[in-house]
Structures are given as C-alpha cells and as structure tokens.
Amino acid sequence: MEDSPSIETVYEAIYALYNQNTNPAEKQRASNWLNEMQKSVYAWKIADELLARKVDLNSCYLAAQTMRSKLQNSFHELPQDSHASLRDALLNHLSKLDDTTDGVIATQLCVALAHLALQMGSWKNAAVDIASRYNSLKTCFILELLTVLPEEVNSRTLRLGANRRSEIYAEFSDNLPAVNQLLELCLTSEANNNRIKIRSYKCFASWLNIRSVSLSQVWHSNVLSNAFNVLCSFDGCNMIQEAAADAVIAFLQNLEDNNNQDEIQIEIINSVSRLEQAYMMSVTSEDLDRTVNYCRIFTELAESLVMTMVNKSLGSNGLPHFSIKALELVILCANHHDYEVLLITFNLWFRLSEELYKINNVVLTEMFKPYFEQLIGALYKHCMIDTDHEGLLDESTEDFADFRMKCSDLIKDVVFIVSSSAVFQQMYMLLQTASVSNVTWDQMEAALFIMQAIARNILPHENEVVPKVVEAILNMPETAHINMRYTSVMLLGELCEWISHEQHSETLEPILNYLQYCLRQPNLAAVTAKSLHSICTTCRHHMVKHLSGLIEILKVVDMLNLPNDVAIGLLKGVAVIVAEVPEEHVYKAIKEICGRQLSPLLALVESTSEKTVPETNTSSDPIYWLDRLSAILRHLATKSNNEKDPCVVAIVEMWPSMSKICTRYKTDSRITEHFCRCLRFMIRLVSRSTTALLAPVAQQMAYLYKEHHHSCYLYIGSILVDEYGSKYDNPLVMTQCHSLLLEMIDAFIEPAFRLFSEKDGLRNYPDTVDDFFRLACRFIQKLPMPFLQSPVLEVIIRCSITAVSLDHKEANASVMKFLLDLLLCGKSRKDNVNNEECRQYVTSIINSIGEQLIDNLIQASVFSLQSYMLPDVIDVIIELMAYDKVQTLSWLSGAVEKLPKQNSAGLVTATNEQCLQFLNSFHSYENDGELCRSLREFSRYFR
C-alpha cells in the first residue's frame, strides 16, 4: 500500500466486509484490502482515528485489533519520540470506554497497551502508573490491564530480550505492593461487585504466575486471605469461588521455588487443611464444581511439596516430614464418587512415584506405600462399570473408557511401590470370594482389569495365582457379562510373557483354542486379535506348529469385521512366526499371506479409474491393503544373505505388482505416502541378499518425482542409499550401485530445487527439505568420496546454508545433520579408505563457506530457531573448530559483531560484556552442554 487511504475508504471496506448483503467476492476483496492496510505503516494513524470516531462496533473492533497487532509485530515502525503520545492516546481511548463497550474491544486495547508498556523502556513502573489511575479509568479496565501485563512478558513475538525481561521482572517485584494495595482496595470498596472480585483474583493470580515474587511478599496479603475466606464459605457465586481457587493455586505453585521456609509451609498446609470441611460440604451438597476446585488446591499443594516431602523424609530417621499431610487431603479426593475428581490427582501420583523410583530407598518407599495402597483401592472402585451398562464400553466415544485406560497407565507406573504380586493376589482374592459372597460382575471385572494392567510385571515362574486365574478364564461361562469376557481376553494377552515361559508352555494350546473361539464372537474379535498378536510375538518359537491354524484364521479375517488396525496386529504376529518356520515352508507361507493383500490391491488398480475417490478405511481404499502389507514386510526376516533365500525370492517376485500400484496412484499423495512406507520395508528386507530391486526402484522414483513432487520418493531414495551404498564387498557391484544412486540424486535435484527457489519455498515445503537432506546425509555416510566429487554437492551446500534458519523441527534437524555429517566425513574413520582425500575436500569446502555458515548459524540461533534446536548448531560449530579453531573463532566474533546492539525502542539487547562472555565460552569449555547453555542464554538477549 503506497499511499495512505482516506478514512472514508476504510469505512467502505469495513462495511463491505461485515454487511450481510455483500456478495462473497466483494467480501473477500474487502478482507484482502483491510489485511494489506493493517500491515502498512499508515495503520497506526487509521486505527487511532477509528477509535476516536467510535462510529460503530465493527470499526472499533477492527481498530483495536489493528492496534494490538501492530504493537505486537511492528513496534519497530514507530520513532521513539512517538511512544509517549501513543501511550496517552491508548489511555485516552480506554478512559472513554464504559459498561456498554464490547468486551473484545476492551481486551484488545488492554493487550495493546500492555505490549507498549513492556516494549517502551522509558515508561518506568508502568504497573504503578496504571494502578494510580483508579479515579480516571474504570476499575474493571485497570484490573484487566494489570492482568495482561505480566501475562504478555514471555510473548515470543514481542522479542523483548533477556535484559529487558530482567528489568521488567525486577520492576514487577518492586511494583507488587502497589498492585496488591489496589487489589485490596477493590475487594474492600466494591465488596458486593462480583465482577470486580473475579477480576481481582485473576489479576492476583497473573502476578503470581510470573514467579518473580517471594512467599513472604504475598503470604500475608489480604487478597490471599480474602480468597481463603471465600473458599471456606459455603455460600457465594461459583465463578467467584473458582477465581479464588485459581489465586490460591497460583500462590501454591510458588512453593516449589521457595521450599526452605518451614514456618510458612506449616502455616500454608494448615490454611489449606481448613478447606477440608468446605470440601466435605461440597460433596454433601453434590456441588461438583466446588469439589473440583478444592481437589485442584489439595493436589497443587501436594505437587508443590513433592520434593520437600521426599527429600526431608529421606533424612528424618524414618519419620515422615510434616508436608506428607498434603497427601491425606488428596486421598480424600481420590475416594470421591466421581472419577473426574480422582483424575485431577493423576499427575501428582505419576510425579511422586517417579521420584521414589529414582531414589530407590526401601525405607522411603515403605513410608509412602500406604498412600499408594489407598490410591489403588480407589482406582479399583472407580474402574467398576455401571452394573446396568449394556454391551461393551466404547473406547472411542466414552469418556469413562478413556479414564480406565488412564487408570491402567497409572497403575503400571506406581505398582512397584506396592508390589505387583501383592496387588495381583489381592485382586484374585476378590475373584475367589465371588462364589461365596455378594460380589457382583462389575466388581469382578474391575479386579480383572487391574490384573491386566500389571500382568506383564508378574514373574514367569509364578505358579500359585496365575494358573488358577487362567483356568478360571478358560472355563468362564458364555453367560458371563460381555465386559468380563472382554477384559479376560485382554488379560490373557497381557500374560503373554508368563505364557512364553517353558514352565507354562502346556497352557499355550488351550489358550489358543479359547482365543480362536472368541475371535468368532463379534464383540470379542478385536480384543482377541490384539491378544493373539501379543502371544504370537512373545511365544514365537512355540507358535510355529500353530502357523497353519493362524493362516486359516487370516483367510476369514475380513468376515470378522475387525478394525483394520486390529487385523494388522494379527498379521504382524503371523509374520513374526513365519520368520521362525523351517526354510522349506517359508516361500509358500509368504506368498499366501502377502498374496491376500496384493490381490485386492491389483483388483483395485484394474477396476478403478483415476477419477474414482476411494472411501477411507474401507476395503475400497488402497491404503487399507498397503498398511496390512507393510505390517507383514516389516516383521518378516531372511535367514541367509543370498538371492536364493525363499523369503528374498518371494519378495522380489512382488516388485512388478508393486510397480504397477505405484504408477497407478502416483497422483494421490496420501496413497503414495503409504505405498512408499510399504516399499521401505520391502527394500530393507531383501537388500542384504540381492541388488535386484535397486535399479528398477531408483529409476521409477526418479521418474515419478519429476512428474509429481511427493517428498516420500526422496525418502525412498535415502533408504536405497542406506541399503545399497556400502553393503557389498564386490568392487564391481559397489561401483554399479554408486553409479545408479548418483544418477538418482542428480534426477532429484532439479525438481526439488525448483520448489526451494520459489518465494518462501523452504518454509512452504518443509517435508521436502527434510527428506532431501536426509537423502544427502545418507550419501555422505555411505559413499562419501563419490558424493564429495559429485557436481551436485555445491548447490546442496549453498541451499543448506540458507536452510539453517528454517524454524521447522524435522526439516532443520535434517539440514543440521547434513552439515555435521559433511564435516565429520573428513575425520579419521575405519570405514573410510579415502580419509585424507576426504579431509582435503572438506577443508576446501570449509574455507569457501565457513564465514557465511557461521553468520547464518548465529543469526538463525538468535532470531529464528527454537531453543531446543540450538544443540545442533553447537555440534556444527564444534566440528568447524576441530578443523581450524582460530579461524572459526574469528568468524564467530564477526558474526556477533553484526548483531544489533539495540532494539527499535532503543533498549540494549546484548551488552559488549555479554557478547564477550559468549565468545569467551568457545575459547575454553568442558563439554558440549556448556556451550549449548551459553548459546541459549545469549540468544535470549534478542528474543
């Protein structure tokens, strides 16, 4: 937008966008025009004028949203001398808002002003200034302003920098008394205003959440005591109670950072314990919302004290620390009748059990054992299905089924504290008493469900309880509730390791007979197939004699209406067993199980036109069969490394059919991706034995990639390089393989780099970047010398230098891995006979691109990459220093010097001392982690 549009033109565009009678094309044009206007430098003045005129709701909303967006993303457009006038204008706009103003407009203006305050270094003590305007701004807007101010400190888009953030945190710590005083005034002067109460508690929580305050600063705050009083009361609005709970929880979260103040901790635990009576009242009155709030508080208290209760109990001569009392409040909630209350506590138990596992102290484990015993008891009760429930629990739609799975995961994590055998024995006792007492089916099913969660922890030589449980399952009458039978089948699958033990091999046949019977029951087919998969995989040696029976099952598997993922599990199990059968039976077995997937695929190829759209997750979808074939190929294995291996022969014979499928679905990226996954397992399976697939696959991938830029073709290319790049001892075979592979990447280069050269091409095609540089990595790893001599290398290196700033996890990791492998390939390696020649090539490359590479790496680290990506940057820099430390340090110094020392607001980003400290860290360091920390801290100065 070259010239500033008139305000009338802006109003016309707003009217066109929001008017219901405007045609869609006109709306789209108006939307596009307004988007361009918002990006222009004229948007500041236009937004200010729209807010001043207050013509209608839509124009005010657009203006507020524009002002917020500009301050968030384009603050650098403003000259420093305009900051104060913009602040005054925003405050003026806020002062004119009233109760009739749309809440979204007020929020956008508050966020905009918060962004200005955080970036405007000359506005000192902004929070105090805002609080002092109690008589000129409406209280609700002051509270919202003060709420969003600390919330926006860590916004990545603001790029405040570590120095500015440190300054803000110090300022916030100083400003907290003034903010607290304002909140106390609001709660006192407007005691009957529920809206002000809620906003006051939210504001208090917001200031505590930044973790820049000490406990002593706020423990005696009247706002906090007011929140506790609200929570102790049985009356009042639930929304106020929830806001008060949020404030208390925000305070409790600070306990973890201030865990050495025993006196305050005792007072806090006592104050929270006072809420126990209110919790019981909420349970009695069936007020679930309040119950949940109390549970959140009790759980947060316990979680904040986990390290305290563990570490201080460890050194207390076998006596628990007083903070362990917090667990008693949590156990109280665990026994609540609604499972959603118990669910809130799960993270605490996971974390506590993890700490106990790491410490591995018997005395400490015994100290906490009673709490975990009560927890498992509560889980058992909550896992009971309603006795009136008809049919199976639907795992895909029922929240309760999802809760039970989470219970199962929790039990697996914490059961070591109580002992798996003890819990299994306890559940078995419940089953035993079923015949002599009034134990209902739901109680028995819950016991079986707990058993299946820990079944894999049972020692294989256990002979007292498990045989009796297995026998009871095999003799379970058909009249038993369907959920009991379902869970019993699931338990048999989880007992697979116990079944596989030589001592229990006699149980395998009756179990298989039982499972084959269950497989024909519609409601049990899916879980039975999963259990069969587990048993086949674990008991593969014992299952060889049952292979023919399993293949017979596969013949009717599609008549059982199994979900495809379940059928795939069954196929995996059969494929694992095929790898164990005598060699003379392998070819026939593979042709049988693979043919049952290939035949429908080929039928689809012949019967459907390119315009036919397959129905997802049905047998009319090629992916349905490709995924099955992938599962088989992934779990098969060859027994000898020669072309005559029956498995190799059977797989190579499949290629013509696979080629036909690949060509038919070349326009469909979804099907092609699944096909390439299948092809990957096919190549991996036979590559040790034959090169028969290399030429046809490489040529077809190269040809198809020129037509259709599916990045999975590049991925198959990397698989070919990995498998055929350095696996054969015969020099003639290796030369032929290298020639084919280099021809393949040469064919890939032109279409791939055509995509990269588009505007924002690297950003728009991250999958292609990822797969292409994975391919380049394979070349360096498997055939370094031929690749270093290839003319394609230079253009790949230049592209990688640009791509280091790509903020995409997988793509960036592949680019960095390529650069790292390139540097490493010149180092001494046993598998590199041309080491000295490689080193000379790599040294020449470094001399050519080293300075630009370092510049781009530092710029990317500071302005583009996420913190977790920085270790890859350090790895590359370290390898550059290994070649020439002096030169690399010089390049680093130059790169740091080019960084801006001030931001658009005139605030210092990194001082000279901080830059020097960062550079000095590369002169002497003990490990890579030290350099990562240094780069991470340095990058924060600019973010």
Side-chain angles (χ1 to χ4, degrees), residues 269 280 470 631 650:
I269 291 171
M280 298 305 295
V470 171

Side-chain angles (χ1 to χ4, degrees), residues 366-527:
E366 284 296 317
M367 191 181 299
F368 285 90
K369 184 176 177 179
Y371 298 100
F372 284 93
E373 287 175 336
Q374 292 180 72
L375 170 66
I376 290 177
L379 291 171
Y380 162 70
K381 292 176 184 175
H382 280 285
C383 283
M384 292 179 193
I385 302 170
D386 192 330
T387 52
D388 295 331
H389 191 283
E390 295 182 4
L392 283 175
L393 285 177
D394 188 339
E395 294 182 11
S396 62
T397 59
E398 292 194 33
D399 291 340
F400 181 59
D402 179 62
F403 166 75
R404 290 199 350 146
M405 287 298 103
K406 289 177 180 175
C407 286
S408 181
D409 292 338
L410 180 58
I411 291 167
K412 289 172 185 176
D413 261 42
V414 308
V415 74
F416 74 92
I417 298 168
V418 181
S419 158
S420 297
S421 57
V423 174
F424 207 88
Q425 176 78 31
Q426 181 186 357
M427 295 299 120
Y428 174 66
M429 295 300 292
L430 281 167
L431 294 176
Q432 268 196 320
T433 57
S435 58
V436 294
S437 63
N438 294 324
V439 177
T440 53
W441 74 262
D442 60 313
Q443 294 171 303
M444 289 190 288
E445 190 279 336
L448 290 168
F449 184 79
I450 300 296
M451 283 179 168
Q452 68 80 31
I454 59 173
R456 293 191 188 237
N457 294 350
I458 299 301
L459 296 174
H461 57 259
E462 204 286 331
N463 273 323
E464 293 184 15
V465 176
V466 178
K468 296 173 183 176
V469 172
V470 171
E471 184 182 0
I473 290 172
L474 298 182
N475 293 311
M476 186 176 291
E478 285 192 38
T479 54
H481 195 282
I482 186 64
N483 280 292
M484 267 196 69
R485 296 169 64 202
Y486 182 95
T487 305
S488 298
V489 171
M490 188 161 54
L491 174 55
L492 288 177
E494 292 299 304
L495 284 170
C496 56
E497 292 181 19
W498 181 88
I499 296 167
S500 69
H501 195 267
E502 292 291 340
Q503 198 173 345
H504 312 120
S505 57
E506 76 282 354
T507 65
L508 181 59
E509 188 160 352
I511 288 173
L512 286 177
N513 292 335
Y514 178 74
L515 292 178
Q516 286 188 49
Y517 168 74
C518 292
L519 196 62
R520 290 171 171 79
Q521 312 299 311
N523 288 333
L524 300 176
V527 70

Side-chain angles (χ1 to χ4, degrees), residues 635-652:
H635 291 84
L636 287 173
T638 57
K639 293 188 175 181
S640 58
N641 295 340
N642 66 74
E643 294 184 343
K644 295 181 180 179
D645 183 292
C647 178
V648 175
V649 174
I651 298 305
V652 171

Side-chain angles (χ1 to χ4, degrees), residues 759-776:
K759 183 181 179 182
D760 293 329
L762 293 170
R763 185 177 297 278
N764 293 337
Y765 302 102
D767 291 341
T768 302
V769 175
D770 181 22
D771 287 325
F772 184 85
F773 281 99
R774 280 175 186 261
L775 172 62

